[in-house]
Amino acid sequence: MTFTTKIASYANHFEIDQGLIGLLQKRMTDPDKVVMAPKDYFTVTQLVNPAQTFWDRTTGGVQKSPELRRKLAKGNRLQDVASIWFQKLPDFLVEGSKLDGALVGLRGVRGELDYKIGESIIELKTKDKLPLTTEEILMDFPHDLEQLLIYSALDPLNPDINYLVFMTNKMPYKFATFKVIIKDLNQIKNMIQERIKILKLAIEEKNPHLLGRCRYFGQTCQYEKETCTCNQMSPLDTSMFSKAIELKFDKEFNEKLEAAKAKSNQKEIDWFSKWEVLNPRLHYMDRILGETLEYDAPDYDKDAYAACLWSAIKKLNMDLNLIERKQIYTEKKEHRIKVGFHWLKVPHSGKNEYQTLPFIYKVSSASTISFANSPNDYHLAQLGVMCAAYGVSRGLIIAVHPKLNKLVRVFQVDYKNLKEMQKLIGGRLDGCEQAEKVQIPLQLDSCPEFINKNKNCPMTRTCHSEKGKGCIQGLYYPPKSIS
């Protein structure tokens, strides 16, 4: 029995929640209205650096240097660390929510939010050195500011006060926080639409000269020594900033953030996602090697379905209030597990007026109705990890099925022997930390074969250097002999 099936086996009862299904179906935008081919949309990070996106699309991309991969991986880890301190601030949420511009009249761009304080978006950036003035941001980090502005336009709430937070990438992790006040959202929307237009035109005509200089030119751009022509181009125009926003250092917010960090009794830890708990070699690959696995795209637009499902969930208006959220944060049992704050306050006719339940939301690849009528082991295990982390015995799996005429399913799942499951997961994380400390990945369970069906995982050769230790049955790479 694999670790995943062990955790899934703790689910001792589930039932389909037809009431929530009906509410979601009424509120869900038809995914067909936002479905797009990958070449027809850009992510927010692609849109703020169009020159690099051009070269990625027209050349097929070049591999990032090991130094850059490690730097990016470290930045992701530091964002996890910072979340511990942000959670101490009033009205803080960690959501990890998908945003699709097609849902707000900005078709062609997608992104994902990590942090929000109330309705305000927080964009965190780690740097070698903090910018101390607005002029430094406009000169050195305009793409970071643009990223925040695009998120504010993609968020259906269109928050007009947001925060750009810079953090040093070395201890003691100092902050510089800037408040960004949106004065003219239409100018930001116009910038987004124009950026999409010229980027598509440049790719179609294979002409990068409309796009301006790469924002990493002279720094970490992997194309600079290869094919790019950025030395012939001027920086992108940033005059829109002076008209559309007000940018200023926020001393009060910065002091609150520094105080939250100082008062936190939480030691610096390395977090694991639900997926990494089940597949720990993926965590090793990210943290130790600075590598990530690129998954093969399904034959449907998964991001469009995820964005529509998330939007429908938010329209239920079943969010928790500030006091309830703080209580849940306080009672978390396993702090090494990172999960987005996905909870619903579901009306209930039983002894209590509401059930406060964690949930996961999924885009399922099931193609037959029999597989859609019960949750699969991976979904049960992921929800089980989340329930164990918070010490609750019931949760929700919310899924949409693109191959079954956009069928929506909601399962209420009950778990048994919660303490036993917590002990099992805690031991798993201890083993992961030990394997990473001694840098022996084969001490960790292999991933399931479907994750690496095309053998494109960066750890394929390492994982199959001993027979029976890899994810693909029968595959073996004998160690290279030393002559």
Side-chain angles (χ1 to χ4, degrees), residues 5 13 56 64 101 131 187 189 216 232 260 309 326 344 361 379 381-383 394 414 443 446 465 467 478:
T5 54
H13 175 74
D56 284 342
K64 295 180 177 66
Q187 287 206 43
K189 290 181 176 180
Y216 297 108
Q232 304 169 23
L309 184 58
K326 283 190 172 182
L344 291 177
Y361 70 105
H379 293 173
Q382 288 182 63
L383 180 62
R394 175 175 291 180
D414 291 322
Q443 287 185 357
S446 64
S465 61
K467 292 182 179 180

Side-chain angles (χ1 to χ4, degrees), residues 452-464:
N452 190 26
K453 60 182 180 180
N454 291 331
K455 303 179 184 178
N456 60 353
C457 174
M459 284 185 63
T460 299
R461 182 171 290 274
T462 298
C463 291
H464 294 83

Side-chain angles (χ1 to χ4, degrees), residues 203-373:
I203 292 170
E204 181 181 338
E205 296 184 351
K206 291 185 170 51
N207 180 5
H209 290 89
L210 295 170
L211 302 176
R213 183 185 301 163
C214 172
R215 259 112 184 215
Y216 297 108
F217 182 75
Q219 300 175 50
T220 57
C221 180
Q222 62 267 35
Y223 291 104
E224 194 169 329
K225 296 180 180 179
E226 302 290 336
T227 54
C228 86
T229 56
C230 283
N231 61 334
Q232 304 169 23
M233 293 186 263
S234 301
L236 279 167
D237 181 27
T238 58
S239 60
M240 179 269 297
F241 293 150
S242 63
K243 303 172 185 177
I245 66 168
E246 180 182 349
L247 176 66
K248 58 183 179 181
F249 181 76
D250 194 317
K251 182 180 178 182
E252 180 181 359
F253 190 107
N254 205 73
E255 288 177 349
K256 287 180 180 179
L257 189 51
E258 291 283 3
K261 181 187 66 175
K263 291 179 181 178
S264 176
N265 293 322
Q266 193 80 43
K267 66 176 182 178
E268 184 177 324
I269 58 175
D270 192 6
W271 285 1
F272 294 76
S273 69
K274 301 185 298 293
W275 188 242
E276 290 172 332
V277 174
L278 303 179
N279 304 291
R281 290 193 192 180
L282 297 181
H283 189 272
Y284 183 100
M285 182 166 61
D286 176 46
R287 299 309 198 258
I288 304 301
L289 304 181
E291 297 270 14
T292 56
L293 176 62
E294 294 186 7
Y295 297 97
D296 296 320
D299 54 1
Y300 51 84
D301 192 339
K302 186 174 181 179
D303 285 343
Y305 279 87
C308 290
L309 184 58
W310 175 256
S311 178
I313 293 169
K314 299 307 290 181
K315 290 176 185 175
L316 292 173
N317 293 320
M318 294 181 183
D319 291 339
L320 280 63
N321 62 37
L322 175 60
I323 295 175
E324 291 163 336
R325 288 197 302 269
K326 283 190 172 182
Q327 183 66 27
I328 287 171
Y329 278 131
T330 301
E331 295 179 355
K332 189 174 181 183
K333 308 299 181 184
E334 177 54 80
H335 292 281
R336 290 175 291 182
I337 295 174
K338 180 187 179 183
V339 288
F341 194 82
H342 297 161
W343 290 72
L344 291 177
K345 192 176 178 181
V346 183
H348 188 248
S349 296
K351 182 178 179 180
N352 297 316
E353 188 176 357
Y354 294 95
Q355 292 187 97
T356 303
L357 302 174
F359 71 88
I360 61 173
Y361 70 105
K362 296 293 178 182
V363 181
S364 172
S365 60
S367 56
T368 60
I369 192 66
S370 60
F371 284 107
N373 284 334

